[in-house]
Amino acid sequence: MQNHCAAPNCTSCTSTRQPLFRFPQDPERCKKWVENCPRQDLKDKSPNQMYRFYRLCGKHFDPSMIENSDPQHTVLKDDAIPTVFDVSSQTQKRSRETTEADETENKVKKKIKKTPAETKECDAQTAPEEEEEEEEHKEYLKSLFEVLVLLGGQNIPVKGPANDKQDSLASSNFQALLEYRMNAGDEALKKRCDANPENKECCSSTQLGHLIEVCEGCVRGELLKEVRKNAFFALVTDDLVQISGEWCLPVFLRYVDQANRQWEKFVGFLSFEGDGEALAETLMSELTDKWGLNMEQCRGQAHSFSGSHFSKIKAFAAKLTEKYPMAVLTPRSTCALNTTLASGMALSGVQLVMSTFRKIESFFSNSPELQLELEHGISIFYPDKEEKAGELKEVCRTSWTTRHDACQVAVDILEALLLCVDSVHDNEDMRWSDRVTHDALEISKALADFEFVMSLVVLKNTLSLTRAFGKNMQGKATDVNFAANSLKAVLHSLTEVSDNIDVYHEFWHDEAVNLAAALEISDKVPRSFLRKHRSEPGTVIRPESYYKEHLSVPVVNHVIREMKELFCENHLKALKCLSLVPGVLEQNKSTEPEEENIQVYKNDLPNAGTLAAELHCWWVKWSHKGKGDSVPGTLHETLQMADVKFFPNMLAVLRLIGTLPTLTLEESSDVAYRRFKMYMENTPDKYRSKSLALLNVNNDARYDLDVMVEAYMKTHPTNETVQ
């Protein structure tokens, strides 16, 4: 009923252009609506039932009663009453039915078999009963969905600690909330459960699984509908996570909405089981066939590469680029460029550094006492440099292991850090718990390994060449534009290091040896390598030669290769389109933005033929601003300008570069990523759910319980009773 007009013989529904209006909740107004609507069966229903289950379309209202202030929304005036009904056809139909009934009554006495008229009358009597049963079932399902959405949105496990190992839901959080609703007066739910008094569950485990699937599909459908409405988007993935023993790839979509605001939304997980090209094909198929994404509209992709799954993610990214060339590969704005570069190196020493960084972050982040212990160590090793010590202490109070200069900071505090964790592990004053002392020992073992020290020094020196570039990439539009124009110089510096690696490696090795000597660590080849590659008797593998071949050379080559791939020609041209932002134009008044860069989006422009003229007008508009005039300095501010709509090509380009994952979003537009991280950090492994994670992260998303109920009844047409 919610999707069709309640007036007799009216065919209007949600698929037609006629708007549907709910019956009013006010008893007096609802009574007038029912009296005017020529349906006798509606007179016994309550205003609440009429409001929830019945609609009238716009054809039954005088045009003066309808307001069309917004093309997207049609609303009724507060005193609107339906007055337009085809009463004559209804009267004729009733009189015709009465005449036929009288004639049939005179003849039926001589017949035993029921006539079609009688069969029709019998069906008419049973139809309201079936309709009422269907409405009760819908109300029951709606109550289930409402509780499920509440649990998911608040990150409350459907099952509780008491029954997480059982299939029964009798003592679950889900059942407890259903019982609360029944006690609060939910008649539909109470009636359904009273029909099976011997069963304490209002919903079976099987049915709950179906409800969760439908709920997830409806929420994702709304999110994807919004993305499709705005055409272009970028695909963004995060680090692989394990849920219920399965590796899953978190997927986000970045787009610009109709109000020209940038968004990044979490749309769910992709199963990441398989290898190579087959896995890439499976992921592509799920995105297009199951989720319905048009990848031809994808204008960017960014992935969080990690050492253990680096090759699989790379294969997927390459397949995506091969099939959809406009989906340029970029780094993620939520991760420092140097962290991205280091995480993608499948080298044992580099992975040792990165895993130790994660342990250090976890070790100090939740304990002010441990933080004070580290600061005390810094004071010991910088007695005559109070300013330097103060700076390091301030840095260590932040998440320094994820900064662009993380390796430089680690080198500066390495001695103090080792002293701190050794002191905690010794636990002479019995201040620390067993878990804390154990974690301290694990960190201490890593720091006291020469492979760690050597890898840290190589990373520090190599990534120092990309540090400023990466920091600018996460800055304002002017900083990003500057970085895009400085990539050539960065690659030149890296190439120079690669061409003279013998000289650079010698300096790096000497630095590592001196640092290790201060920590009382000996210079040696990793024991794991010696065990795997037993040399001939009398042959000695020199540490300096080993680390050059297995560390310095691969690290430098990897950084050069990744920088070229992450900042390909099309990506750089797109970033240089930020010269259209008025704040950037103001810095380069004498230089008109190059049309060549904008041509990367030539097939996406509304009118490419007028691009040159429009670009010149745009440049003139902003380059002749007075000194006191303020101009938009960010992409977000530029997109929000009222007069940007008079430059359709410029608006199209600005919207397109707004989808690039490279660019940092406004804080209010990046909520989904922060919520996702909170969900993964705060939810125990056994309570994690792919479906409920989607509900929790998107708890502010629009959803319609009626749509969920309809989708469920379509997927599972048989009424599922309590088992």
Side-chain angles (χ1 to χ4, degrees):
M1 282 298 179
Q2 296 93 331
N3 300 327
H4 298 273
C5 181
N9 296 334
C10 185
T11 58
S12 296
C13 61
T14 53
S15 60
T16 64
R17 293 190 176 183
Q18 279 294 338
L20 293 175
F21 303 107
R22 292 176 182 266
F23 275 69
Q25 283 184 302
D26 178 65
E28 291 300 322
R29 286 190 64 214
C30 184
K31 183 179 179 181
K32 291 181 181 179
W33 281 41
V34 172
E35 288 175 351
N36 287 5
C37 182
R39 278 187 56 176
Q40 297 299 318
D41 59 309
L42 299 182
K43 293 185 177 181
D44 297 332
K45 299 188 181 297
S46 68
N48 185 50
Q49 284 179 303
M50 297 303 300
Y51 174 76
R52 298 180 72 175
F53 303 121
Y54 294 91
R55 312 284 188 269
L56 284 178
C57 72
K59 292 192 296 186
H60 306 295
F61 295 86
D62 189 272
S64 62
M65 295 291 182
I66 300 176
E67 294 182 349
N68 291 296
S69 57
D70 185 351
Q72 301 295 327
H73 299 87
T74 304
V75 296
L76 289 174
K77 292 184 177 179
D78 293 340
D79 59 347
I81 300 292
T83 56
V84 184
F85 294 97
D86 191 1
V87 181
S88 60
S89 64
Q90 293 298 314
T91 305
Q92 292 173 6
K93 181 180 178 182
R94 282 196 295 270
S95 62
R96 185 170 58 252
E97 289 176 350
T98 304
T99 303
E100 291 175 356
D102 292 340
E103 293 175 356
T104 304
E105 186 178 358
N106 293 330
K107 297 178 181 180
V108 75
K109 297 177 181 179
K110 300 179 181 180
K111 297 183 180 180
I112 299 176
K113 187 178 179 181
K114 288 185 178 181
T115 63
E118 289 178 321
T119 305
K120 184 177 180 180
E121 184 179 353
C122 182
D123 292 342
Q125 292 175 354
T126 58
E129 296 177 2
E130 293 177 356
E131 184 177 316
E132 184 177 354
E133 183 181 348
E134 181 180 346
E135 293 301 335
E136 288 178 355
H137 184 57
K138 287 182 177 180
E139 280 298 292
Y140 161 71
L141 291 174
K142 194 177 292 186
S143 297
L144 299 183
F145 276 119
E146 202 163 0
V147 170
L148 187 58
V149 169
L150 173 64
L151 290 171
Q154 299 301 317
N155 196 19
I156 302 172
V158 174
K159 294 185 176 183
N163 71 332
D164 57 359
K165 294 183 179 180
Q166 304 173 13
D167 291 333
S168 172
L169 298 176
S171 58
S172 65
N173 294 324
F174 186 65
Q175 177 68 20
L177 281 176
L178 292 179
E179 291 175 358
Y180 178 82
R181 284 183 67 96
M182 286 189 286
N183 294 333
D186 192 325
E187 293 298 330
L189 192 59
K190 190 174 187 302
K191 184 176 180 180
R192 190 58 176 259
C193 293
D194 287 346
N196 295 271
E198 70 282 355
N199 198 326
K200 296 182 179 181
E201 299 176 17
C202 296
C203 172
S204 67
S205 296
T206 303
Q207 185 180 8
L208 177 59
H210 295 157
L211 291 167
I212 291 175
E213 289 176 5
V214 170
C215 196
E216 177 189 7
C218 288
V219 172
R220 181 184 295 115
E222 284 298 318
L223 294 170
L224 295 178
K225 181 180 177 181
E226 179 70 15
V227 173
R228 284 191 288 268
K229 186 168 66 175
N230 295 286
F232 302 107
F233 65 92
L235 179 73
V236 183
T237 66
D238 201 55
D239 289 322
L240 288 171
V241 296
Q242 217 168 8
I243 298 178
S244 301
E246 178 188 10
W247 284 107
C248 303
L249 184 67
V251 179
F252 298 78
L253 295 179
R254 184 179 287 204
Y255 64 97
V256 179
D257 67 10
Q258 296 296 303
N260 292 330
R261 286 196 61 183
Q262 295 169 276
W263 293 102
E264 188 170 291
K265 297 290 187 179
F266 173 62
V267 293
F269 296 93
L270 295 176
S271 177
F272 203 78
E273 301 293 336
D275 292 299
E277 191 168 336
L279 174 61
E281 289 288 353
T282 301
L283 295 174
M284 293 276 291
S285 174
E286 192 157 357
L287 288 171
T288 55
D289 300 338
K290 186 177 178 180
W291 290 6
L293 278 174
N294 180 9
M295 297 305 293
E296 295 286 353
Q297 306 279 33
C298 185
R299 291 296 176 268
Q301 56 170 315
H303 309 283
S304 185
F305 300 111
S306 59
S308 56
H309 299 95
F310 180 78
S311 59
K312 292 183 180 181
I313 294 289
K314 272 290 183 184
F316 173 54
K319 192 72 178 177
L320 200 61
T321 304
E322 177 187 347
K323 200 165 184 179
Y324 307 103
M326 290 301 294
V328 294
L329 183 63
T330 77
R332 280 205 67 169
S333 62
T334 53
C335 182
L337 176 63
N338 281 353
T339 301
T340 300
L341 294 172
S343 298
M345 300 182 195
L347 303 171
S348 60
V350 174
Q351 288 305 309
L352 175 62
V353 171
M354 300 310 293
S355 64
T356 304
F357 276 3
R358 288 190 289 272
K359 291 177 182 177
I360 292 171
E361 175 70 21
S362 175
F363 185 72
F364 289 102
S365 61
N366 298 318
S367 176
E369 292 83 3
L370 289 171
Q371 185 68 41
L372 289 174
E373 194 76 15
L374 176 59
E375 292 180 12
H376 176 65
I378 293 174
S379 298
I380 292 175
F381 284 96
Y382 289 90
D384 302 324
K385 299 179 180 179
E386 293 184 5
E387 185 177 351
K388 177 69 173 178
E391 291 176 0
L392 290 175
K393 290 177 184 178
E394 192 65 34
V395 169
C396 290
R397 296 185 190 115
T398 66
S399 298
W400 64 269
T401 57
T402 60
R403 288 167 48 121
H404 297 279
D405 59 350
C407 293
Q408 179 65 63
V409 174
V411 168
D412 291 340
I413 68 168
L414 190 56
E415 293 178 84
L417 185 59
L418 184 57
L419 175 65
C420 172
V421 293
D422 282 345
S423 174
V424 172
H425 174 251
D426 292 340
N427 201 16
E428 294 178 352
D429 48 6
M430 303 301 290
R431 293 169 56 197
W432 315 109
S433 66
D434 291 342
R435 183 185 62 80
V436 172
T437 56
H438 176 269
D439 292 344
L441 177 61
E442 291 296 312
I443 296 174
S444 176
K445 287 179 179 178
L447 300 181
D449 189 337
F450 184 76
E451 184 179 18
F452 173 90
V453 177
M454 185 68 211
S455 300
L456 182 63
V457 170
V458 171
L459 286 173
K460 182 207 75 170
N461 288 287
T462 304
L463 298 180
S464 66
L465 302 175
T466 59
R467 185 192 308 163
F469 178 87
K471 191 173 182 180
N472 284 333
M473 275 295 166
Q474 290 185 320
K476 298 179 181 179
T478 51
D479 300 324
V480 178
N481 185 66
F482 176 79
N485 288 287
S486 66
L487 177 66
K488 191 173 182 180
V490 174
L491 289 174
H492 177 76
S493 299
L494 288 167
T495 304
E496 182 184 356
V497 172
S498 178
D499 292 342
N500 300 279
I501 192 63
D502 292 340
V503 177
Y504 282 97
H505 174 71
E506 184 178 348
F507 283 113
W508 297 347
H509 183 259
D510 289 345
E511 181 183 353
V513 169
N514 293 333
L515 181 58
L519 301 171
E520 299 181 352
I521 302 171
S522 58
D523 175 14
K524 59 183 179 181
V525 176
R527 187 176 58 182
S528 59
F529 178 82
L530 294 175
R531 286 202 307 268
K532 292 178 182 178
H533 305 83
R534 297 185 180 277
S535 57
E536 297 180 3
T539 304
V540 177
I541 301 176
R542 296 176 58 245
E544 184 177 354
S545 301
Y546 166 81
Y547 286 112
K548 173 192 168 186
E549 180 182 350
H550 293 88
L551 184 63
S552 295
V553 172
V555 165
V556 174
N557 290 340
H558 173 88
V559 172
I560 293 174
R561 185 171 59 252
E562 286 299 297
M563 288 292 288
K564 289 180 178 178
E565 189 171 357
L566 290 173
F567 298 95
C568 64
E569 184 179 359
N570 281 350
H571 184 199
L572 278 182
K573 285 183 177 180
L575 291 175
K576 289 177 181 178
C577 289
L578 284 170
S579 59
L580 297 176
V581 173
V584 180
L585 280 172
E586 189 180 35
Q587 284 192 347
N588 306 283
K589 286 186 177 180
S590 60
T591 307
E592 185 173 346
E594 297 180 13
E595 184 181 341
E596 180 187 356
N597 295 326
I598 302 176
Q599 288 293 336
V600 71
Y601 294 125
K602 62 181 179 181
N603 295 327
D604 302 326
L605 298 178
N607 192 351
T610 63
L611 176 61
E614 188 177 321
L615 180 61
H616 180 71
C617 291
W618 179 264
W619 176 67
V620 170
K621 172 182 172 64
W622 295 109
S623 61
H624 289 76
K625 283 283 183 180
K627 289 185 178 180
D629 297 334
S630 61
V631 297
T634 66
L635 177 61
H636 171 74
E637 292 173 354
T638 308
L639 284 169
Q640 294 303 308
M641 290 191 311
D643 55 352
V644 71
K645 62 186 177 183
F646 299 117
F647 298 86
N649 286 322
M650 300 299 99
L651 176 59
V653 173
L654 291 169
R655 285 175 59 86
L656 283 161
I657 59 179
T659 66
L660 289 176
T662 322
L663 305 180
T664 303
L665 292 173
E666 296 288 317
E667 188 173 353
S668 59
S669 302
D670 200 23
V671 177
Y673 180 73
R674 296 196 300 275
R675 284 181 180 167
F676 172 77
K677 286 299 185 184
M678 288 178 62
Y679 176 86
M680 297 308 300
E681 291 172 5
N682 299 332
T683 308
D685 293 348
K686 64 180 179 179
Y687 292 136
R688 288 180 182 175
S689 163
K690 292 190 289 185
S691 302
L692 297 182
L694 183 67
L695 291 178
N696 179 256
V697 175
N698 296 288
N699 59 15
D700 57 344
R702 294 179 301 171
Y703 63 87
D704 191 335
L705 292 177
D706 292 331
V707 173
M708 291 184 183
V709 170
E710 292 294 335
Y712 181 88
M713 295 184 71
K714 184 178 180 181
T715 310
H716 308 282
T718 304
N719 289 2
E720 290 177 285
T721 57
V722 180
Q723 298 175 358

